Amino acid sequence: MPHTTRHFNRKQAVGVVGTATLATSLVAAALLCLGVAPGSAGEGHHDTATPIKHVVVIFQENVSFDHYFATYPQAANTPGEIQQGSGMAAPSFTAAKNTPKGINTLVNAGLLAPKNPNSIQPARLSPRQAVTCDQDHGYTSEQKAYDAGAMDKFVQFTSRDSCGANQYGRPGLTMDYYDGNTVTGIWNYAQNYAMSDNHFSTTLGPSTPGALNLVSGQTHGATEYTSAGVPVATPAAGSYTVRQPDANGVGTVINDPDPVHDDCSNSSHATSNNLAGMNGKNIGDLLNARNVSWGWFQGGFTPTTPAAAGNPASCLSSHTNVAGATVTDYSPHHEPFQYYASTANPHHLPPATQAEIGHNGQANHQYDLTSFNQVVNTDNMPAVSFLKAGMYQDGHAAYSDPLDEQNFITATVNKIQKSKNWKDTAVVVAYDDSDGWYDHVAAAVKNSSSTADDAAWCQNAAASGVPMAGGYTDRCGPGPRQPLLVISPYAKKNFVDHTESDQTSILRFIEDNWHTGQIGDASADAAAGSLNAMFNFHHGRKDTLILNERTGTIASRVHSRQ
């Protein structure tokens, strides 16, 4: 089938996105808990529950908490180490004396070598080993690695030990971790702002479920399409995309299909994947209903070949990572709003004017990262911004790495801190999945499932009576533990939050702050743990922390009157 016909079929087959019930009855109570009086509904985006007027979510790829924080705040500081790619001397790291004790790290749990129950012991990765093999992070594989809660089968079920040129591998690679000599910027943000040691993916599995949970708390409601855009009424056993479909072909996403409402699906990689489209609502729909400005900004979103004369756009811009590999910037399955007809920008059209950024228009709130850079220091910076790095900087093992990622995060946060909007902004750094990297903590299952895709971890929970929200299968979670940081004038300094949270806690913070109501339809946002303990909403800090964008070390501290 010609590519042009495929695109036509995508648009015609999905139709109108269904509605979802908005739950708003608890908003007033939530505001009182924050110590902030609720405003009137008519005040739009100015009516926020907290002093935060701008939320920026930097949503990165494929990191478990132990992979980045196993020995925090102690780094090896090994003499003579250099960074991969640049050949620069690796930075040293010395923790502040008042760094909190009792952080749930691998070292504090007593699970470094030789005491780890897995068949191969954890080992430190040096700054010269930044680019590594990608691990197995499938929905079922991660459950098997949990071994019914013993957390001792990661080597057997998620470790991938050998891979391409200039990518480090070893037997049992999944067990390995970085420290503050490599992830220096992340550790410095943790030292100066707030982090969590009890934050999890909402469900088990890879990138697309994580992205969908961030914006809707819902991986059910998916329709599968062939790579040519034809609906698949009954996905086959082992389907790449949608599992357990009902009589209407609607099921749950557990893998990484490309979005059906995206010209660039299947054009940015060698394989031709099945596609998926989502029904229901997402946070973009809720923000639109409240007239709150927002946008998703992703590296490589600007097409290299625009759509024209019935031919779809293609998105093939690229950059080189620290290992010298050329990496395509745009990944369609990392862009959750493209799965929904209501919030998609299928042809990757740019905003007609700068004033359109964050508002309704031909781009439909979906933009290239360059659009965020245009408005970050203006009155037109959206109230809610989701930022996705180009693939070489998104932190995903194999094609990205912590050094390229550090460059993106520090450059972005520096830009925000130097802007006029910093005074009322909260930057949230979060991840879409764990990549299968080992982490020693498993949260108790709160949403069960018991299908052929589920192993003992989730099946046991279902058998013991843990409910299955909405009756929707294959949404077992929480999944693996991941890093979470809040960088803001209202973030507590050098603070570690132990409150259990998940990806939908970010969604819930946005919902509550702008009084949007909730997604409904058994979305995980309804039960999400709060991020509020990471903030002090009664006192805005007067300092900024500018980091070196190559090394992650502290470049300057600025104290100002606000």
Side-chain angles (χ1 to χ4, degrees):
M1 180 177 294
H3 200 148
T4 53
T5 304
R6 183 193 78 180
H7 180 74
F8 174 81
N9 284 341
R10 285 191 224 163
K11 293 173 65 179
Q12 299 300 318
V14 177
V16 179
V17 173
T19 60
T21 302
L22 301 181
T24 58
S25 60
L26 297 179
V27 170
L31 298 177
L32 292 175
C33 290
L34 294 174
V36 181
S40 67
E43 290 177 314
H45 70 279
H46 299 292
D47 171 30
T48 55
T50 76
I52 302 300
K53 303 297 182 183
H54 300 91
V55 168
V56 179
V57 181
I58 300 177
F59 202 52
Q60 294 294 98
E61 289 286 312
N62 295 51
V63 171
S64 74
F65 182 86
D66 280 342
H67 189 53
Y68 273 10
F69 286 98
T71 65
Y72 179 81
Q74 300 302 316
N77 294 329
T78 304
E81 287 190 329
I82 63 172
Q83 291 183 333
Q84 186 174 4
S86 70
M88 296 172 59
S92 62
F93 184 90
T94 302
K97 292 182 179 179
N98 63 340
T99 300
K101 309 296 184 183
I103 306 169
N104 195 358
T105 61
L106 203 58
V107 64
N108 286 342
L111 293 173
L112 290 178
K115 299 179 180 180
N116 197 280
N118 282 270
S119 60
I120 295 178
Q121 296 297 298
R124 173 182 177 266
L125 293 163
S126 78
R128 199 167 190 169
Q129 297 163 333
V131 181
T132 68
C133 302
D134 185 20
Q135 305 300 288
D136 184 347
H137 43 293
Y139 177 79
T140 306
S141 297
E142 289 181 344
Q143 293 182 45
K144 291 179 177 179
Y146 277 27
D147 190 21
M151 309 301 279
D152 62 358
K153 298 294 184 185
F154 282 79
V155 174
Q156 291 88 332
F157 291 110
T158 68
S159 196
R160 290 174 175 166
D161 305 334
S162 61
C163 43
N166 299 319
Q167 297 177 21
Y168 176 76
R170 75 162 186 114
L173 179 64
T174 184
M175 302 299 299
D176 293 353
Y177 59 87
Y178 294 103
D179 70 7
N181 304 132
T182 303
V183 290
T184 315
I186 294 288
W187 280 31
N188 272 320
Y189 286 133
Q191 290 273 289
N192 288 275
Y193 299 99
M195 65 175 281
S196 171
D197 70 347
N198 204 20
H199 177 77
F200 299 83
S201 56
T202 303
T203 62
L204 293 122
S207 293
T208 298
L212 292 173
N213 280 316
L214 174 70
V215 304
S216 71
Q218 180 62 275
T219 53
H220 183 77
T223 300
E224 182 170 357
Y225 298 79
T226 68
S227 59
V230 178
V232 179
T234 307
S239 162
Y240 188 79
T241 302
V242 175
R243 305 297 290 149
Q244 315 303 327
D246 61 19
N248 297 315
V250 176
T252 303
V253 174
I254 66 168
N255 286 310
D256 286 335
D258 278 350
V260 71
H261 307 291
D262 194 329
D263 280 10
C264 296
S265 291
N266 284 330
S267 71
S268 60
H269 41 70
T271 59
S272 184
N273 296 333
N274 275 18
L275 310 172
M278 293 295 295
N279 300 289
K281 289 191 175 183
N282 59 57
I283 187 60
D285 298 312
L286 302 189
L287 291 170
N288 284 340
R290 289 281 296 159
N291 196 29
V292 177
S293 59
W294 70 279
W296 177 278
F297 303 84
Q298 184 160 339
F301 193 84
T302 297
T304 48
T305 303
N311 293 313
S314 60
C315 305
L316 297 174
S317 65
S318 63
H319 283 83
T320 302
N321 68 18
V322 296
T326 300
V327 181
T328 301
D329 293 324
Y330 181 66
S331 174
H333 76 264
H334 293 167
E335 221 288 28
F337 291 106
Q338 295 285 84
Y339 291 89
Y340 295 86
S342 60
T343 54
N345 178 0
H347 302 309
H348 290 234
L349 299 175
T353 64
Q354 184 172 308
E356 181 192 312
I357 298 172
H359 304 279
N360 293 336
Q362 67 179 26
N364 201 22
H365 300 271
Q366 311 308 310
Y367 312 102
D368 193 89
L369 269 173
T370 54
S371 291
F372 180 79
N373 296 336
Q374 291 173 19
V375 297
V376 64
N377 193 32
T378 73
D379 291 334
N380 201 43
M381 178 180 171
V384 179
S385 301
F386 300 93
L387 308 189
K388 192 70 178 182
M391 289 176 66
Y392 81 109
Q393 290 186 319
D394 68 15
H396 194 301
Y399 62 72
S400 185
D401 58 276
L403 297 179
D404 281 310
E405 177 191 31
Q406 176 170 264
N407 181 235
F408 171 73
I409 293 175
T410 56
T412 301
V413 175
N414 285 349
K415 199 171 291 154
I416 295 169
Q417 291 201 356
K418 293 175 182 178
S419 78
K420 64 189 296 181
N421 297 306
W422 166 244
K423 64 184 182 298
D424 55 19
T425 293
V427 179
V428 181
V429 180
Y431 291 81
D432 66 350
D433 69 68
S434 71
D435 200 62
W437 294 111
Y438 170 65
D439 190 275
H440 73 281
V441 177
V445 175
K446 294 177 176 56
N447 191 25
S448 71
S449 179
S450 183
T451 72
D453 300 310
D454 293 298
W457 178 243
C458 293
Q459 291 177 348
N460 291 347
S464 65
V466 175
M468 182 170 61
Y472 302 144
T473 61
D474 288 331
R475 298 169 66 213
C476 183
R481 193 170 60 139
Q482 300 167 338
L484 179 77
L485 298 105
V486 171
I487 304 166
S488 172
Y490 291 95
K492 295 176 182 176
K493 185 172 183 177
N494 202 359
F495 176 78
V496 180
D497 185 18
H498 306 303
T499 306
E500 184 174 319
S501 61
D502 66 81
Q503 290 155 334
T504 63
S505 298
I506 305 168
L507 170 64
R508 181 64 180 268
F509 181 86
I510 295 168
E511 292 171 341
D512 288 348
N513 199 48
W514 279 276
H515 319 301
T516 65
Q518 295 169 23
I519 299 294
D521 192 28
S523 168
D525 62 350
S530 175
L531 304 184
N532 291 340
M534 303 173 79
F535 293 92
N536 180 354
F537 294 122
H538 302 289
H539 178 71
R541 294 163 51 178
K542 311 299 187 209
D543 61 305
T544 57
L545 178 78
I546 304 302
L547 299 188
N548 183 296
E549 295 170 9
R550 298 295 300 177
T551 64
T553 55
I554 297 173
S556 66
R557 298 179 189 269
V558 179
H559 295 268
S560 61
R561 295 178 181 178
Q562 294 182 354

